[in-house]
Amino acid sequence: MNKPEREAFIDAYLRIVAYADRQYVEGYLDKLDAGVEPEWDVDYSNVTDALCMWQEGQIFAMKAK
């Protein structure tokens, strides 16, 4: 995920879902970028679900072009 996409995802997550705070979401993405599976905790599932929805939206947009 490039920097503009990352910021767009974080902003959308914080506006729409907002179970976890910015620091958590940034740390979660940092771990994924480093190739490390984030450890499961109370916020893991909702950030993971939001990221999967984001990625599916990107796939849909690419196919629609």
Side-chain angles (χ1 to χ4, degrees):
M1 181 180 293
N2 65 34
K3 187 172 178 147
E5 290 171 330
R6 179 184 170 109
E7 284 305 310
F9 171 74
I10 293 170
D11 290 344
Y13 176 86
L14 294 174
R15 226 179 26 259
I16 299 165
V17 181
Y19 287 111
D21 62 18
R22 176 176 286 273
Q23 183 178 5
Y24 181 91
V25 179
E26 289 173 347
Y28 177 97
L29 295 175
D30 288 343
K31 288 177 183 173
L32 289 180
D33 288 345
V36 176
E37 177 70 23
E39 61 279 350
W40 190 92
D41 63 15
V42 68
D43 294 319
Y44 175 90
S45 292
N46 67 69
V47 176
T48 301
D49 290 347
L51 184 58
C52 290
M53 290 291 293
W54 180 268
Q55 291 167 338
E56 286 298 316
Q58 289 178 313
I59 291 167
F60 176 81
M62 296 299 276
K63 288 180 180 177
K65 285 186 177 182

